[in-house]
Amino acid sequence: MIERDVKIHMERALQLANKGWGKTHPNPMVGALVFDQGVVRGEGYHKQVGASHAEINALSQLTGKLSSDATLFVTLEPCSTHGQTPPCIDAIIRSGIKRVVVGAIDPNPKHRGRGLDILRKARIEVIEGILSRECEDLNLLFNFWIKRRSPLIAGKIAMTIDGRLATRSGDSKWITNLQSRMDVMKWRRLFPAIAVGANTVLTDNPSLTSRMDNREIWCPIRIIIDPKLRTVNSKLCKVYNDEYMKRTVIVVSKDFNTKEKRKLLDPSIDLWKIATSHDGVEWDAFRRKCIEKNIFGVFFEGGAKTINSLINSRELNYLFSYRAPKLLGDPEAYSVFTEYNPERINSAITLGQVQHATFGDDELMRGYIKYPNKGRQ
């Protein structure tokens, strides 16, 4: 099989995996297909947690005998342990498949490469690393959770060429174009939780839902960072009054007396009491709370004060930076990253495993944050 065809089939497996976007937590998204004698004999993807894995769904479509050239393409190393479902490698060996092409390797150090070793011992040819970067990128949240046992804390910013988030009057609608904003909706669908600061709620009154074409509206867990419950005085806030209010959480200072203001909230709205400092929330305590609640990723959409606080605490793991071809040229316009002031370039924060995308004239750069003098991301 020539290299071009191998990549084409793995690209198709990635398309299949994406059908499970946002539906598989805490499991990864995986796509698989069986190719034999010039024909795709079976396709499958992991649809949701607890359901059959992609390989099983693809193999279940097979009819008739396979040739000696039959190849299984799968975006992630087949599982070799028994969880909610039996290990996929057993089904692969029974199927008569003689070649398995894998994109990403299992990120779990305890299982990494184990499934491939078992397949090779069963005299099945294994080819690994095909479109590995794309396959790994597909499961940002899963990979981070498996390696760190901690949620991926991501931040999103939308800015002008000169790094401005809004004019000096506060006008920010819209810096980026519709295509960029639709891409944000896609990421909202992936992350189990979305978070904003109190100022964003009071200024923009967002719904914090994912609204994508031809898809039902999806509401992640909505986390409002509001240590002193300033936002509950506004009865018009969508997050406290819409049909999804049961999925709203307010992070409040551990020392703040919430008794009176609690009466203004629907009892279904949850309060997380978390320690605070003069800089705001103690983000390590916030992270532990997410672990306790089995939230594997949080998508912070602002505002600037919240993103700055996360960075200063070295608790922001990933950044989505959308940039529009607009220039304000105003030093008084709202900016971000105003509190991190290194004196040398080698002290700058950088991004790793960077991905780029364009949406019309807008650009997206995203990647894992690397803090200077520390290996953590």
Side-chain angles (χ1 to χ4, degrees):
M1 185 175 293
I2 62 176
E3 182 179 351
R4 178 177 60 85
D5 291 337
V6 170
K7 289 185 177 180
I8 288 173
H9 296 314
M10 189 59 76
E11 286 172 351
R12 174 55 184 165
L14 278 165
Q15 291 174 356
L16 292 166
N18 268 280
K19 291 185 176 183
W21 188 269
K23 301 175 183 177
T24 64
H25 298 304
N27 290 353
M29 290 175 280
V30 184
L33 65 88
V34 177
F35 185 77
D36 189 17
Q37 294 185 317
V39 178
V40 175
R41 298 277 299 273
E43 292 185 336
Y45 69 99
H46 184 44
K47 296 181 179 180
Q48 61 187 31
V49 61
S52 300
H53 289 188
E55 303 93 315
I56 303 303
N57 289 331
L59 293 172
S60 68
Q61 296 180 5
L62 298 179
T63 57
K65 190 175 181 180
L66 294 172
S67 77
S68 59
D69 291 327
T71 303
L72 171 69
F73 291 83
V74 60
T75 57
L76 180 65
E77 176 182 352
C79 62
S80 58
T81 58
H82 200 298
Q84 290 184 312
T85 58
C88 291
I89 55 168
D90 293 350
I92 294 170
I93 294 170
R94 289 195 304 268
S95 72
I97 293 283
K98 296 302 180 184
R99 183 185 300 113
V100 176
V101 179
V102 175
I105 309 303
D106 192 328
N108 190 332
K110 295 181 180 179
H111 306 151
R112 188 174 179 83
R114 183 173 181 268
L116 304 186
D117 290 342
I118 294 173
L119 291 174
R120 288 183 174 114
K121 288 177 181 177
R123 300 182 182 274
I124 295 174
E125 179 186 1
V126 175
I127 301 172
E128 56 185 277
I130 305 301
L131 299 184
S132 59
R133 182 171 179 174
E134 293 86 344
C135 292
E136 289 171 7
D137 185 63
L138 179 67
N139 288 302
L140 294 174
L141 276 64
F142 173 78
N143 294 340
F144 194 87
W145 179 265
I146 289 297
K147 293 176 182 178
R148 311 288 182 87
R149 289 297 167 186
S150 181
L152 181 73
I153 305 297
K156 184 227 84 178
I157 57 172
M159 62 184 182
T160 61
I161 293 172
D162 50 340
R164 303 296 167 171
L165 306 180
T167 65
R168 66 169 66 193
S169 67
D171 181 34
S172 63
K173 293 185 178 179
W174 295 101
I175 287 178
T176 52
N177 62 27
L178 180 60
Q179 293 132 294
S180 292
R181 299 198 299 274
M182 287 300 100
D183 188 62
V184 172
M185 292 295 171
K186 184 189 82 167
W187 291 106
R188 284 185 181 185
R189 182 64 183 84
L190 177 69
F191 278 77
I194 181 171
V196 294
N199 287 337
T200 298
V201 172
L202 293 172
T203 303
D204 298 337
N205 193 18
S207 62
L208 302 181
T209 57
S210 176
R211 303 175 298 280
M212 300 171 65
D213 293 341
N214 303 317
R215 288 198 185 187
E216 185 178 353
I217 293 177
W218 164 253
C219 185
I221 297 170
R222 303 179 296 190
I223 302 175
I224 314 302
I225 310 299
D226 188 6
K228 295 185 178 180
L229 286 179
R230 291 188 295 129
T231 58
V232 303
N233 291 325
S234 176
K235 296 182 179 180
L236 299 178
C237 289
K238 295 175 184 176
V239 290
Y240 303 142
N241 297 281
D242 64 13
E243 60 188 298
Y244 308 110
M245 63 182 176
K246 291 182 180 179
R247 294 184 65 77
T248 300
V249 172
I250 308 176
V251 173
V252 63
S253 172
K254 191 175 183 180
D255 301 320
F256 187 72
N257 187 344
T258 62
K259 187 175 181 180
E260 289 303 314
K261 289 195 174 185
R262 189 70 174 94
K263 296 176 183 178
L264 301 175
L265 290 169
D266 187 281
S268 65
I269 294 173
D270 196 8
L271 295 185
W272 290 0
K273 288 197 170 188
I274 292 178
T276 55
S277 65
H278 69 282
D279 291 327
V281 172
E282 291 191 1
W283 294 112
D284 57 340
F286 173 83
R287 186 182 290 275
R288 291 194 299 272
K289 190 69 174 182
C290 289
I291 294 171
E292 176 190 324
K293 297 289 185 178
N294 289 318
I295 295 175
F296 305 113
V298 184
F299 190 54
F300 275 83
E301 288 205 37
K305 182 179 179 181
T306 302
I307 298 294
N308 269 319
S309 178
L310 281 162
I311 286 177
N312 290 337
S313 301
R314 294 183 176 239
E315 291 291 345
L316 193 68
N317 308 121
Y318 201 89
L319 181 66
F320 293 80
S321 177
Y322 293 84
R323 188 173 68 165
K326 294 181 174 71
L327 181 66
L328 295 184
D330 182 357
E332 299 301 319
Y334 285 87
S335 185
V336 72
F337 311 136
T338 56
E339 299 176 22
Y340 187 80
N341 300 301
E343 294 184 1
R344 301 181 63 85
I345 288 295
N346 61 10
S347 296
I349 293 170
T350 58
L351 296 186
Q353 298 181 41
V354 176
Q355 299 283 340
H356 298 272
T358 56
F359 302 98
D361 292 331
D362 290 356
E363 297 177 344
L364 167 65
M365 178 187 293
R366 60 181 176 89
Y368 290 95
I369 291 184
K370 294 184 176 181
Y371 295 96
N373 304 321
K374 281 195 175 185
R376 68 178 292 186
Q377 294 178 345

